[in-house]
Amino acid sequence: MTYQEFELAATALLGPLDALAKERFAAMEALYNDWNARINVISRKDMDGLYSHHVLHSLAIAAYLKTALPEEFESWQRGGVKVLDLGTGGGFPGIPLAVLFPNTHFTLCDSVGKKTIVAGAVAKALELTNTEVVNARAESLPQKFDYVVSRAVASLTDFYPWVKGRYGKRILYLRGGDIAAETAELCGRHKVNPARIATWPLAGVLKDDYFDGKWLVDIHA
């Protein structure tokens, strides 16, 4: 997917992008190519899929909010919302979301230092003043967040204890595989009420075979 194709897809999904967002999204390709050559955070064979497999995938969280929770989407636009991106790697989904929602504050957290070097450098180059990058484990963070976002860093059963009690509204988790079995295991092992969980298939909104079998899992506080 080229940047131009990405812009068309993102606009269809989320509405018109402002000029600064377009400039920042367009700049990502060169930035990630440069940094990934030095510190490999994206599979080199997948760099051609940067905009579809990483940036657009990240923005599926925004698409879900806009579609299913429009009042919360608007609150992210207005600002005053605090979001933790746990296991951010090179900055996904946090950096694309920070570009889209410049009034929302994002803390990008990863326990692997070389990954936070890349995420921090990209955020700085894009002049994302709403973004903080920390090299830490979730349990060491002192603050509480409104939302936790993440992209398939672990099974839901393993991930949930890391952020339990650290969010006020929702976990929005991008995950693939047998999501019914995984959510059932989460509910059984951690006593999570199934009524608190919603799943949203990405294939319904992102027209690329890559997203077949991929989901957004929403776990309400």
Side-chain angles (χ1 to χ4, degrees), residues 7-8 10-19 21-22 66 73 77 100:
E7 187 180 314
L8 287 171
T11 299
L13 203 60
L14 298 162
L17 303 173
D18 65 36
K22 289 179 183 179
K66 185 177 176 67
F73 180 85
Q77 290 181 312
L100 189 68

Side-chain angles (χ1 to χ4, degrees), residues 18-65:
D18 65 36
L20 182 56
K22 289 179 183 179
E23 180 182 324
R24 285 169 164 164
F25 282 128
M28 285 182 185
E29 184 170 21
L31 285 169
Y32 276 107
N33 272 314
D34 178 39
W35 274 102
N36 208 56
R38 290 184 262 174
I39 301 175
N40 187 211
V41 293
I42 296 172
S43 167
R44 290 193 171 98
K45 67 181 181 180
D46 198 35
M47 279 303 298
D48 288 343
L50 174 70
Y51 281 115
S52 55
H53 299 174
H54 300 281
V55 183
L56 198 62
H57 192 193
S58 298
L59 294 180
I61 290 173
Y64 173 74
L65 288 171

Side-chain angles (χ1 to χ4, degrees), residues 24 27 39 45 59 67 115 132 142 163 168 175 196:
R24 285 169 164 164
I39 301 175
K45 67 181 181 180
L59 294 180
T67 302
K115 294 181 179 181
E132 173 188 12
V163 295
R175 186 72 176 153
R196 290 172 48 202

Side-chain angles (χ1 to χ4, degrees), residues 28-138:
M28 285 182 185
E29 184 170 21
L31 285 169
Y32 276 107
N33 272 314
D34 178 39
W35 274 102
N36 208 56
R38 290 184 262 174
I39 301 175
N40 187 211
V41 293
I42 296 172
S43 167
R44 290 193 171 98
K45 67 181 181 180
D46 198 35
M47 279 303 298
D48 288 343
L50 174 70
Y51 281 115
S52 55
H53 299 174
H54 300 281
V55 183
L56 198 62
H57 192 193
S58 298
L59 294 180
I61 290 173
Y64 173 74
L65 288 171
K66 185 177 176 67
T67 302
L69 304 164
E71 291 183 2
E72 295 185 40
F73 180 85
E74 290 171 9
S75 75
W76 285 45
Q77 290 181 312
R78 288 193 304 270
V81 175
K82 295 180 180 180
V83 180
L84 170 64
D85 173 10
L86 184 60
T88 190
F92 301 104
I95 285 178
L97 291 172
V99 169
L100 189 68
F101 297 107
N103 297 319
T104 285
H105 186 270
F106 292 84
T107 298
L108 278 55
C109 178
D110 203 290
S111 62
V112 180
K114 68 177 185 179
K115 294 181 179 181
T116 57
I117 289 171
V118 176
V122 172
K124 183 178 181 181
L126 296 175
E127 299 182 348
L128 292 175
T129 57
N130 61 330
T131 301
E132 173 188 12
V133 180
V134 294
N135 176 206
R137 294 187 177 276

Side-chain angles (χ1 to χ4, degrees), residues 7 106 116 129 148 159-160 162 170 172 180:
E7 187 180 314
F106 292 84
T116 57
T129 57
V148 175
F159 183 82
Y160 181 74
W162 300 342
R170 301 177 187 278
L172 299 171

